[in-house]
């Protein structure tokens, strides 16, 4: 059975004190994760080590970085490499979030390099895709997302794609309070899985966790996660509130 994942993306928020309190409160909420479920905390780089300590020994709770660079090492002032993340024990890294695509001009081609670097150093990418409002209104979201997948992931082998994690995040639903309906989420998640099945085979596609992101809240998580091709969520705003994120974790299938 593929993994069901509640992933927090804290983005550029919180002080370290607030971060530690948040994680402490989420743990104190006592959510029980089943063997097929995982909670992942996508924290800012400077907090990785302190949050990691809080999560130590907690079953199925893991850290993610929010980004890494597309080069192995060298004169890239201010960047953080996949190897550095691996060396401090980070298992996951969010790759290609729409905010990085928009503000930092990350292209599908650059993201293709990043996922390869992740594999080289044993990090698991959480690969983000999703369309903006203009594309949704034209009704071409399926083609748009298919191109993102083709250009950034189709150079990978079926073995590399087994157990991979994708986050579908429609840009028009991020931070807007306007979530995709559960039917809209299911439709495009099923499309993503069929695109992956054509390229990598049905068994591989069935092993890939496809998370939904965009205004996931404590009150809508259960319905969205209940869709057959939605395997959890990548959560921004609501992951900054301990009780909300605890509820979201307990909404996993
Ligand atoms: P919100 O949950 O705040 O809409 O953010 C979604 C997101 O971008 C997660 O990566």
């Amino acid at each position: 059975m593929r993994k069901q994942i509640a992933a927090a993306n804290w983005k550029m928020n919180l002080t370290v004190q607030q971060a530690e309190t948040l994680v402490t409160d989420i743990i104190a909420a006592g959510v029980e994760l089943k063997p097929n479920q995982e909670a992942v905390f996508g924290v800012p780089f400077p907090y990785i080590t302190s949050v990691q300590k809080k999560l130590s020994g907690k079953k199925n709770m893991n850290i993610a970085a929010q980004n890494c660079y597309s080069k192995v090492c060298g004169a890239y002032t201010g960047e953080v490499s996949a190897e550095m993340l691996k060396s401090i024990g980070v298992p996951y890294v969010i790759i290609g979030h729409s905010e990085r695509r928009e503000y930092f001009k990350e292209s599908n081609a650059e993201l293709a390099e990043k996922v390869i670097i992740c594999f080289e150093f044993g990090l698991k990418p959480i690969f983000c895709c999703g369309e903006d409002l203009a594309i949704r209104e034209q009704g071409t979201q399926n083609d748009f997302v298919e191109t993102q997948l083709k250009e950034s992931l189709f150079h990978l082998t079926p073995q590399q794609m087994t157990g991979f994690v994708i986050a579908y995040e429609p840009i028009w639903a991020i931070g807007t309070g306007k979530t995709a309906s559960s039917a809209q989420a299911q439709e495009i998640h099923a499309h993503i899985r069929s695109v992956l099945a054509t390229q990598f085979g049905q068994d591989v596609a069935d092993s890939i966790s496809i998370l939904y992101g965009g205004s996931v809240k404590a009150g809508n998580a259960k319905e969205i996660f209940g869709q057959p091709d939605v395997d959890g969520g990548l959560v921004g705003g609501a992951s900054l509130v301990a009780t909300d994120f605890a509820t979201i974790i307990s909404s996993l299938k």
Side-chain angles (χ1 to χ4, degrees):
M1 198 202 278
R2 59 180 169 260
K3 263 191 195 158
Q4 305 295 306
I5 301 171
N9 178 5
W10 289 357
K11 308 191 180 183
M12 196 176 75
N13 291 298
L14 308 177
T15 63
V16 72
Q17 291 80 10
Q18 291 167 330
E20 289 184 355
T21 303
L22 177 57
V23 176
T24 304
D25 290 350
I26 292 168
I27 293 169
V31 274
E32 288 281 324
L33 287 152
K34 298 187 190 131
N36 69 315
Q37 297 174 339
E38 200 169 330
V40 175
F41 295 82
V43 309
F45 292 131
Y47 307 158
I48 287 176
T49 306
S50 57
V51 174
Q52 226 170 10
K53 283 198 189 116
K54 297 259 171 208
L55 296 180
S56 127
K58 303 285 171 300
K59 219 172 105 227
N60 296 355
M61 288 195 175
N62 277 310
I63 283 277
Q66 295 177 13
N67 182 35
C68 69
Y69 196 46
S70 52
K71 302 280 186 269
V72 173
C73 63
Y76 303 104
T77 302
E79 291 298 326
V80 171
S81 72
E83 187 175 24
M84 290 172 187
L85 295 172
K86 188 64 189 175
S87 73
I88 57 166
V90 173
Y92 286 103
V93 57
I94 299 171
I95 294 291
H97 191 280
S98 59
E99 288 147 16
R100 299 226 42 101
R101 293 173 185 263
E102 181 182 353
Y103 304 130
F104 303 96
K105 307 295 167 223
E106 294 188 0
S107 65
N108 291 345
E110 182 177 4
L111 300 178
E113 290 176 28
K114 287 194 182 192
V115 288
I116 283 293
I117 297 255
C118 288
F119 280 111
E120 197 172 318
F121 292 101
L123 287 176
K124 294 183 206 158
I126 298 175
F127 179 82
C128 301
C129 59
E131 79 288 352
D132 65 16
L133 186 59
I135 291 166
R136 174 61 63 164
E137 283 176 347
Q138 279 166 26
T140 54
Q141 65 274 6
N142 283 2
D143 292 344
F144 181 85
V145 168
E146 189 168 337
T147 301
Q148 288 181 319
L149 301 177
K150 275 188 180 151
E151 294 185 359
S152 298
L153 301 182
F154 276 21
H155 58 315
L156 298 175
T157 63
Q159 197 191 356
Q160 286 171 320
M161 286 300 291
T162 301
F164 199 84
V165 182
I166 288 177
Y168 165 70
E169 300 203 304
I171 296 167
W172 48 272
I174 294 177
T176 59
K178 195 170 158 185
T179 176
S181 68
S182 49
Q184 281 173 321
Q186 169 55 26
E187 195 228 329
I188 195 153
H189 280 228
H191 176 68
I192 290 169
R193 203 176 303 285
S194 79
V195 168
L196 296 168
T198 305
Q199 176 68 13
F200 300 106
Q202 192 65 51
D203 286 353
V204 173
D206 286 340
S207 76
I208 295 173
S209 303
I210 307 178
L211 317 185
Y212 169 81
S215 297
V216 172
K217 305 285 176 212
N220 62 18
K222 194 143 196 121
E223 191 192 335
I224 298 172
F225 297 174
Q227 300 302 308
D229 285 294
V230 179
D231 306 308
L234 180 56
V235 187
S239 74
L240 300 171
V241 180
T243 48
D244 288 3
F245 194 58
T247 303
I248 290 168
I249 298 171
S250 52
S251 304
L252 289 171
K253 281 198 279 288

